[in-house]
């Protein structure tokens, strides 16, 4: 009888732990942050749910989709929760207006980022992630520009 109770208690405990683990995993996924523009409070968005290398990144009304969830790695990468690809300064372009997209992560300086207050800066050229042209439309592109402190370069 005691053996049966111990087995039953062990099964119940295991079921509870597995249930908590599943709940924790769901909570972790739900808790992935959005990156929002201080200018218009829209979300950084993998436009069109495009999983290809070079896929465009822009702004869209926040709605909580996986294409709007991002996470930082310990090495300074910003990754999409949709496909785990890296935010990439496409073509290593150092010009103002250079566009951002997603690419398979490989550790290049064009895929490394750091925060400076509310700015997100490129390790490669120290320029700021910029909502290009102060465009408030859904689909507006995001790129790089010399940092100057504008609301189109501030993120939360």
């Amino acid at each position: 009888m005691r053996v049966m109770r111990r087995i039953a208690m062990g099964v119940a405990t295991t079921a509870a732990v597995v249930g908590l683990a599943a709940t924790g995993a769901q909570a972790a996924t739900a808790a992935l942050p959005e990156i929002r523009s201080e200018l218009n409070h829209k979300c950084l968005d993998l436009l069109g749910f495009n999983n290809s290398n070079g896929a465009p990144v822009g702004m869209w009304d926040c709605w909580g989709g996986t294409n709007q969830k991002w996470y930082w790695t310990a090495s300074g990468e910003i990754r999409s929760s949709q496909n785990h690809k890296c935010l990439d300064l496409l073509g290593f372009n150092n010009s103002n207006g250079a566009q951002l997209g997603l690419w398979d992560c490989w550790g290049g300086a064009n895929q490394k980022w750091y925060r400076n207050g509310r700015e997100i800066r490129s390790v490669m050229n120290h320029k700021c992630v910029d909502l290009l042209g102060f465009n408030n439309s859904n689909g507006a592109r995001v790129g790089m520009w010399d940092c100057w402190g504008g609301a189109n370069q501030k993120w939360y």
Side-chain angles (χ1 to χ4, degrees):
M1 187 73 162
R2 283 186 181 172
V3 172
M4 294 296 267
R5 279 189 193 159
R6 286 186 182 168
I7 291 172
M9 288 177 67
V11 169
T13 302
T14 302
V17 169
V18 169
L20 287 174
T23 303
Q26 291 166 348
T29 300
L32 286 173
E34 298 163 333
I35 298 176
R36 292 182 182 233
S37 169
E38 192 171 283
L39 177 70
N40 57 23
H41 309 289
K42 291 187 178 194
C43 283
L44 188 67
D45 187 286
L46 173 54
L47 298 173
F49 294 89
N50 186 341
N51 287 321
S52 302
N53 282 334
V57 174
M59 302 305 296
W60 206 273
D61 292 327
C62 300
W63 65 279
T66 58
N67 65 321
Q68 293 184 338
K69 302 285 185 179
W70 306 88
Y71 62 97
W72 288 74
T73 68
S75 62
E77 298 162 335
I78 300 174
R79 291 187 179 216
S80 167
S81 72
Q82 178 171 310
N83 56 27
H84 309 287
K85 290 187 177 192
C86 282
L87 186 65
D88 186 286
L89 177 51
L90 298 173
F92 294 89
N93 188 341
N94 275 318
S95 302
N96 283 336
Q99 294 190 343
L100 300 179
L102 287 189
W103 206 273
D104 291 329
C105 301
W106 63 278
N110 66 321
Q111 295 184 339
K112 304 280 181 150
W113 310 92
Y114 65 96
R115 296 295 303 233
N116 183 36
R118 290 198 146 188
E119 298 169 341
I120 299 174
R121 292 185 177 210
S122 169
V123 167
M124 186 178 95
N125 59 23
H126 307 287
K127 291 186 178 191
C128 282
V129 173
D130 185 287
L131 176 51
L132 299 172
F134 293 87
N135 187 340
N136 284 316
S137 302
N138 283 335
R141 291 301 303 267
V142 175
M144 302 305 296
W145 207 273
D146 292 327
C147 300
W148 64 278
N152 66 322
Q153 294 184 340
K154 303 233 176 170
W155 307 89
Y156 67 96

